[in-house]
Amino acid sequence: MKNTALTDVHIREGAKMVPFAGYNMPVQYAGINAEHETVRKAVGVFDVSHMGEFILKGDKALDLIQQVTSNDASKLYDGKVQYSCLPNENGGIVDDLLVYRIDEKTYMLVVNASNIEKDWNWISKFNIYGVDMKDISDRTSLLAIQGPKATEALQSLTDIDLGSMEYYTFKKGKFAGVENVLVSATGYTGAGGFEIYFDNEHAEEIWNAVFKAGEPYGIKPIGLGARDTLRLEMGFCLYGNDIDDTTSPLEAGLGWITKFSKPFTNSEALQQQKQQGINKKLVGFEMTERGIPRHDYEIVDAEGNSIGRVTSGTQSPSLQKAIGLGYIDQSLAKEGSEVYIKIRDNKVKAKVVKLPFIK
């Protein structure tokens, strides 16, 4: 099992550590609900250094990215980030990812930890363009500093004007005395904030500086447990749960990152699927009777007929009610539709709601 550059710090902080995507990761410190509330109301720090980072460089870097990703990366400009996915050849998704345009010939792709090797091999397979590819995952640390007080908590550490940074942009500069730190504003919590990319050797130095600067704002370390409840309240997909090699981006509600203005892997088949219509759709639902939906629970109709499966579910700390995501028959995917979740052989009532759960 791999460690991040901050594993020893998490253990010293009393984190409960668990194996996740081949890494030894903190799942919680003070407790998921308390940490969730810290991010929604103040500011929290996630060590997400397990994520993968690839640098693609060369005259044809954009051509390669355009071929393997579903979104239109030609729309990017220096300092802009784009959410996208890697479609496979069978209508499913290899991974979802972020594309950072450093300059006209240089891009950074940020991929999920569990898919680093898989994604690298997939992209390499299409690299007929002579693009220089570097996997910098093992030497790169990444902190996600999230919450409404993130800007105030971090501004004293950098000359970058954090308050003026637009959503899905990034800047490079000096941060906590360290040169060449990449600061982005993408977020996976819906609470605002920043992601800080830097070399492993600076990990403890930057961690300590962030906590010192953030102390007046109630900053706390946050584990992956609260990261999951926060992203689920926003209706954000988690690879391996809500999207995978068998789910189409159109079924997953990711038509907005599937651009048919250019050819890409399996684009013709996906375009045909769009024209013919999908049979199942990823929807959000909230429980109207007592019960917590869990991954892979069956979704049924009033007569008990199977209509789908739960992909993610939890008791929402913000809403104080159980919520979930799941694929169901398109005919029942309309907002307000009544469905039932099979929990220990009981049909427990739920209704389809519009995403995100937290407005």
Side-chain angles (χ1 to χ4, degrees), residues 135-328:
D135 180 356
I136 60 166
S137 308
D138 285 345
R139 66 171 207 246
T140 305
S141 288
L142 170 57
L143 298 181
I145 303 163
Q146 297 283 292
K149 296 184 180 175
T151 302
E152 297 167 89
L154 299 181
Q155 189 58 75
S156 65
L157 297 174
T158 182
D159 291 337
I160 296 168
D161 182 2
L162 300 176
S164 69
M165 282 184 68
E166 294 177 4
Y167 196 41
Y168 269 72
T169 64
F170 71 92
K171 289 183 179 173
K172 274 188 164 186
K174 197 171 184 179
F175 185 92
V178 177
E179 299 285 357
N180 202 33
V181 174
L182 190 152
V183 180
S184 71
T186 61
Y188 192 53
T189 63
F194 304 92
E195 299 75 45
I196 317 289
Y197 297 82
F198 49 88
D199 290 338
N200 286 345
E201 62 189 277
H202 302 297
E204 284 204 39
E205 176 189 350
I206 287 181
W207 175 274
N208 292 335
V210 164
F211 276 88
K212 188 176 179 185
E215 193 176 355
Y217 304 96
I219 201 166
K220 296 279 195 304
I222 313 292
L224 294 181
R227 191 165 173 81
D228 194 48
T229 55
L230 288 156
R231 70 92 194 167
L232 184 48
E233 287 183 347
M234 296 308 297
F236 293 149
C237 291
L238 173 65
Y239 194 89
N241 279 42
D242 313 301
I243 50 175
D244 59 33
D245 287 296
T246 69
T247 58
S248 135
L250 302 177
E251 294 168 343
L254 298 177
W256 62 281
I257 63 163
T258 310
K259 301 290 171 59
F260 298 112
S261 53
K262 50 120 195 187
F264 57 84
T265 310
N266 206 45
S267 57
E268 284 183 17
L270 286 171
Q271 193 159 17
Q272 194 175 357
Q273 184 184 62
K274 184 180 181 180
Q275 287 161 356
Q276 291 174 348
I278 52 177
N279 297 319
K280 63 177 182 178
K281 184 180 177 184
L282 185 67
V283 299
F285 61 86
E286 59 182 41
M287 304 301 296
T288 52
E289 292 180 341
R290 193 176 175 83
I292 297 179
R294 299 293 183 198
H295 177 71
D296 225 23
Y297 280 10
E298 192 176 11
I299 307 175
V300 298
D301 64 15
E303 285 74 48
N305 303 308
S306 181
I307 57 164
R309 291 260 162 200
V310 175
T311 55
S312 291
T314 194
Q315 176 74 12
S316 161
S318 302
L319 299 171
Q320 295 293 298
K321 64 173 75 167
I323 59 172
L325 296 174
Y327 285 93
I328 64 172

